[in-house]
Amino acid sequence: MAFLQYELWKDCSNNCKYCFNRNIKPVRNKVESLTYVLNSLREKNLEPGSSIGFIGGEFFGGQLENTKVKKLFYEVIDLAMSKIDTNPPGRFLITAALMSDDSSDWFEFCEHIHKYNLDEHVLLCTSWDAKYRFTEKTRQNWEQTVLETQKRYPKMKFHVEMILTEYLINGILDDTFSLREFENKWNCRVDLNIPYLPWFHERGEDKETFSKRLPLFFPKRKTFLRLLMEKPNSINLAGISDCRFHSSELHYTLDDKNWIILPERHKMGTTCTNLRACANCCGYIDSEIKIQDDIKTYLKSCML
């Protein structure tokens, strides 16, 4: 079954310190983007049980202030919800930072999709990182919004992505942080993303330069291998090494006009969307060996 995914825009004002969207122009033509997605979705004949997802940027931090943009956005959402209303039902996914002081756009959206009576087939995708993502205030906003969403819509599921940073790995190793406890506390599933910086790399900043600005972001290979040896059950290895968690078709644009369709993204070895060979822009800070390859080697050794 297909997992169709669209990046609607890259606009975001959360200013996470590591985010490559910080270097992309803030003004995007949302009307053109939504029109493209609407036309593309209309043409899709998806088999029952397929998934449709939307990623940003951000959608609920003031991006829907324009009346025309908001109208088109909900036309896209309605079309997607109608296309997953099949037998068996499909799955609807949307990303949201949940960091805004004003959560009214978010809860208006949740109430809108709730009317379709497909809450069990909705996956609310957000992110959490112990370092470089939140201020104290935005962390509180995230926590309050998640709790209130779960209270109002208990059948909607949360999926949380964290970046596999050196800081996170150290926290797991020294028992100051537990992914399992986090999942239990927030009633969610956590998967880990490999850190990467394709846009920083495009403008000439390599991992070493980046790491001087943001220490403990990229993991050291020896630290991760220690995690595999000492606490392999503390993380979900499948979420890192198995790229079937990715969409089977991703639509995105870099200039608001020319759309790139990236097929078979679920077969890629990284979450990077570079169309040319990756020049060591992701993974370890101290090795060009891929994190995924180390995981696969470890898993094979466990089967011997």
Side-chain angles (χ1 to χ4, degrees):
M1 291 175 285
F3 177 6
L4 186 62
Q5 193 173 52
Y6 294 90
E7 183 186 78
L8 301 187
W9 52 71
K10 296 184 183 293
D11 289 15
C12 183
S13 58
N14 291 317
N15 291 315
C16 302
K17 292 183 178 180
Y18 51 75
C19 183
F20 60 71
N21 281 355
R22 288 162 62 97
N23 295 288
I24 297 174
K25 63 178 182 177
V27 179
R28 311 290 292 190
N29 192 323
K30 297 181 179 64
V31 171
E32 285 190 10
S33 174
L34 291 167
T35 301
Y36 168 86
V37 175
L38 200 57
N39 291 334
S40 174
L41 262 181
R42 283 171 177 158
E43 295 174 356
K44 297 294 182 181
N45 185 19
L46 302 176
E47 62 180 309
S50 295
S51 300
I52 300 174
F54 301 109
I55 60 176
E58 178 58 43
F59 308 130
F60 309 107
Q63 288 79 12
L64 302 179
E65 289 179 344
N66 180 279
T67 302
K68 188 173 183 180
V69 169
K70 185 173 182 177
K71 180 178 181 295
L72 279 171
F73 175 80
Y74 277 105
E75 284 184 28
V76 168
I77 298 303
D78 288 338
L79 180 57
M81 294 300 291
S82 69
K83 283 186 173 287
I84 71 159
D85 191 6
T86 55
N87 185 21
R91 184 178 59 158
F92 174 85
L93 305 89
I94 193 161
T95 60
L98 308 181
M99 294 162 61
S100 176
D101 291 341
D102 182 358
S103 58
S104 57
D105 280 352
W106 169 250
F107 286 112
E108 180 182 356
F109 164 79
C110 289
E111 185 62 24
H112 185 89
I113 60 174
H114 174 63
K115 295 175 182 178
Y116 282 90
N117 295 316
L118 289 167
D119 285 10
E120 293 180 357
H121 306 283
V122 170
L123 192 61
L124 307 175
C125 305
T126 186
S127 299
W128 189 97
D129 292 291
K131 199 172 184 64
Y132 301 133
R133 171 173 290 274
F134 298 110
T135 63
E136 185 60 33
K137 184 63 171 69
T138 57
R139 185 192 300 272
Q140 291 175 1
N141 291 344
W142 187 93
E143 293 177 352
Q144 292 169 2
T145 305
V146 169
L147 288 173
E148 183 62 24
T149 305
Q150 292 175 330
K151 178 181 178 181
R152 296 189 193 186
Y153 312 103
K155 292 184 179 180
M156 292 186 188
K157 301 178 182 67
F158 267 101
H159 177 257
V160 176
E161 290 191 341
M162 296 184 190
I163 300 174
L164 185 66
T165 62
E166 179 80 359
Y167 187 85
L168 176 66
I169 296 172
N170 286 335
I172 296 172
L173 285 170
D174 63 21
D175 293 321
T176 58
F177 183 79
S178 166
L179 289 174
R180 303 306 174 214
E181 289 178 7
F182 184 96
E183 288 180 322
N184 291 333
K185 178 178 180 179
W186 297 105
N187 191 26
C188 66
R189 167 179 170 153
V190 172
D191 281 313
L192 299 173
N193 278 337
I194 293 171
Y196 71 108
L197 43 79
W199 300 106
F200 286 119
H201 187 79
E202 290 288 320
R203 66 183 178 88
E205 185 176 36
D206 57 22
K207 285 193 295 190
E208 289 71 22
T209 305
F210 177 85
S211 293
K212 290 179 181 178
R213 290 195 298 107
L214 300 179
L216 301 178
F217 184 75
F218 284 101
K220 297 177 182 177
R221 185 169 184 247
K222 64 178 181 180
T223 311
F224 183 66
L225 292 180
R226 181 186 161 202
L227 180 68
L228 288 181
M229 298 305 298
E230 295 182 11
K231 296 188 175 184
N233 296 324
S234 63
I235 62 175
N236 180 11
L237 294 175
I240 309 173
S241 61
D242 190 341
C243 294
R244 288 176 296 178
F245 287 99
H246 300 166
S247 55
S248 55
E249 183 177 306
L250 170 65
H251 295 238
Y252 71 103
T253 180
L254 303 179
D255 59 9
D256 298 322
K257 296 179 181 179
N258 301 300
W259 282 78
I260 299 167
I261 301 175
L262 192 63
E264 299 186 328
R265 184 170 176 250
H266 57 308
K267 296 181 181 179
M268 295 175 63
T270 176
T271 54
C272 292
T273 54
N274 283 336
L275 296 181
R276 56 183 178 273
C278 177
N280 194 26
C281 64
C282 58
Y284 297 123
I285 184 62
D286 55 353
S287 175
E288 293 188 12
I289 295 173
K290 289 185 178 295
I291 293 175
Q292 302 96 312
D293 291 341
D294 274 339
I295 293 173
K296 291 172 183 176
T297 299
Y298 169 79
L299 292 175
K300 286 181 180 178
S301 70
C302 294
M303 299 172 64
L304 297 178

